[in-house]
């Protein structure tokens, strides 16, 4: 029986830690946060997202999730060096609070150990994490030469300090000092927020070795105006070296695909300066949870 039962699967932010032993009893190592989208088994990749470290380094996560037995294999990939940084092998499950967990082992060419991460509560006051689907189209003058490209992104806007992500489920009694702290927080609310994430093309002809092309997406968002600036950088390879795509858009609330609200529409322009191409894009956030 699937241990997730009827749990709704989708996109979430996770807090996690590397363990210095693969039997989960060793000393704890570096902590991290990551956004992950779990997709149906027939999708490729069926798990993707990004991992963010305390020094703001963002790497790509891409791999396979078997929704029948909940086994998972993920590669951590870089935009600055070729090859796999880490390989993760583990299982997806549920903890006692009904949060999704991913636990297993990691390895690379020089070391190995364990890891564990846990889904954090959805809280748009702490982080805005969604999967986006859409389309990037070339300018009218380039339509005969450049195809339309689908958008498959996972993005997180860090509304508050990343250290608060793991504490988002905790409730505190409100005191006068707390109220003053809230006022200060509100003053900060409209300042530029960090955005990190990743995405992929599943029909790419750019890499001879694979039809799937993955990339990181990083940038900033201004809540007061909705302005969004992103930079897409591909997984390091000979074919993609030096290519960056800049996105300049606006985020606005939307009723979403189902009309239930709590969705976001992103529209704007893109510019691939090295490739000499540019155009417009539009994408819509998916529900945070969708039935398998």
């Amino acid at each position: 029986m699937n241990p997730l039962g009827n749990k709704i699967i989708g996109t979430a932010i996770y807090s996690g830690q590397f363990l210095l032993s693969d039997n989960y009893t060793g000393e704890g190592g570096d902590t991290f946060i990551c956004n992950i989208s779990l997709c149906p088994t027939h999708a490729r990749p069926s798990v993707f997202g990004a991992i963010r470290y305390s020094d703001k380094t963002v790497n790509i996560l891409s791999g396979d999730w078997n929704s029948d037995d909940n086994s998972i294999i993920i590669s951590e990939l870089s935009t600055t060096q070729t090859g796999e940084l880490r390989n993760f092998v583990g299982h997806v499950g549920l903890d006692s609070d009904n949060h999704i967990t991913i636990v297993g082992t990691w390895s690379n060419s020089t070391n190995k150990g364990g890891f564990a991460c846990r889904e954090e509560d959805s809280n748009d006051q702490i982080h805005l994490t969604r999967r986006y689907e859409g389309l990037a189209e070339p300018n009218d003058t380039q339509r005969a030469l450049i195809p339309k490209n689908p958008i498959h992104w996972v993005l997180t806007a860090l509304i508050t300090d990343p250290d608060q992500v793991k504490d988002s489920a905790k409730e505190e009694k409100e005191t006068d000092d707390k109220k003053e702290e809230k006022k200060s927080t509100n003053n900060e609310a409209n300042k530029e927020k960090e955005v990190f994430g990743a995405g992929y093309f599943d029909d790419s002809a750019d890499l001879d070795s694979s039809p799937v092309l993955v990339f990181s997406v990083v940038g900033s968002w201004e809540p007061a105006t909705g302005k969004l600036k992103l930079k897409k950088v591909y997984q390091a390879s000979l074919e993609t070296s030096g290519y960056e795509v800049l996105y300049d858009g606006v985020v606005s609330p939307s009723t979403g695909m189902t009309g239930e609200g709590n969705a976001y529409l992103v529209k704007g322009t893109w510019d691939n300066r090295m490739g000499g191409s540019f155009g417009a894009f539009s994408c819509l956030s998916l529900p945070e949870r969708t039935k398998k």
Side-chain angles (χ1 to χ4, degrees):
M1 179 181 292
N2 188 322
L4 295 185
N6 293 321
K7 174 71 176 181
I8 298 173
I9 302 300
T11 303
I13 195 166
Y14 294 73
S15 59
Q17 186 171 28
F18 292 109
L19 307 174
L20 304 184
S21 169
D22 56 10
N23 62 8
Y24 316 115
T25 59
E27 181 183 355
D30 292 339
T31 59
F32 60 86
I33 58 174
C34 59
N35 49 34
I36 291 177
S37 183
L38 296 172
C39 316
T41 299
H42 59 76
R44 183 68 177 91
S46 52
V47 52
F48 76 98
I51 185 169
R52 180 195 183 276
Y53 295 99
S54 58
D55 64 357
K56 296 188 178 182
T57 296
V58 174
N59 291 327
I60 305 157
L61 299 175
S62 178
D64 294 298
W65 167 56
N66 185 327
S67 57
D68 293 327
D69 64 7
N70 287 308
S71 61
I72 198 166
I73 300 174
I74 304 174
S75 294
E76 180 180 355
L77 306 166
S78 171
T79 61
T80 58
Q81 64 184 86
T82 58
E84 187 179 60
L85 299 182
R86 279 190 180 92
N87 177 258
F88 300 90
V89 178
H91 280 83
V92 181
L94 290 177
D95 67 10
S96 59
D97 294 323
N98 214 35
H99 288 79
I100 298 174
T101 61
I102 305 175
V103 178
T105 60
W106 64 269
S107 62
N108 57 26
S109 59
T110 61
N111 213 335
K112 64 179 182 178
F115 77 94
C117 59
R118 176 185 182 273
E119 172 194 22
E120 296 297 340
D121 287 337
S122 173
N123 187 337
D124 288 357
Q125 303 304 311
I126 304 294
H127 64 89
L128 189 62
T129 299
R130 298 289 192 281
R131 175 173 175 168
Y132 293 84
E133 298 286 333
L135 196 65
E137 301 184 73
N139 181 268
D140 289 343
T141 61
Q142 301 176 320
R143 289 184 184 275
L145 302 174
I146 299 173
K148 299 177 182 179
N149 279 315
I151 289 175
H152 307 290
W153 292 346
V154 173
L155 297 177
T156 292
L158 294 171
I159 309 303
T160 61
D161 189 286
D163 288 339
Q164 294 187 32
V165 168
K166 63 176 70 71
D167 299 323
S168 61
K170 295 180 180 178
E171 295 183 1
E172 299 179 32
K173 184 177 179 181
E174 189 172 274
T175 63
D176 289 339
D177 288 343
K178 201 66 182 175
K179 290 178 181 178
E180 289 302 315
E181 183 180 327
K182 275 191 172 182
K183 290 180 182 179
S184 176
T185 300
N186 289 337
N187 291 334
E188 295 291 316
N190 290 324
K191 291 188 177 180
E192 192 174 87
K193 308 301 179 184
E194 176 189 352
V195 177
F196 79 94
Y200 71 92
F201 293 136
D202 56 5
D203 59 351
S204 171
D206 296 305
L207 293 180
D208 295 333
S209 58
S210 173
V212 178
L213 184 61
V214 296
F215 47 82
S216 69
V217 183
V218 297
S220 62
W221 172 55
E222 296 178 3
T225 63
K227 291 182 180 179
L228 180 73
K229 291 185 180 295
L230 300 173
K231 179 171 70 173
K232 177 172 73 178
V233 183
Y234 296 99
Q235 172 192 356
S237 70
L238 181 62
E239 296 94 332
T240 61
S241 178
Y243 282 92
E244 296 180 350
V245 182
L246 303 179
Y247 294 82
D248 195 341
V250 175
V251 180
S252 58
S254 169
T255 58
M257 295 180 177
T258 62
E260 296 177 357
N262 198 31
Y264 296 90
L265 175 67
V266 185
K267 298 180 70 174
T269 59
W270 61 270
D271 186 6
N272 182 342
R273 294 175 182 175
M274 185 171 176
S277 56
F278 58 96
F281 78 97
S282 176
C283 57
L284 184 66
S285 68
L286 301 184
E288 293 173 87
R289 292 286 179 265
T290 54
K291 293 284 186 181
K292 288 194 299 179

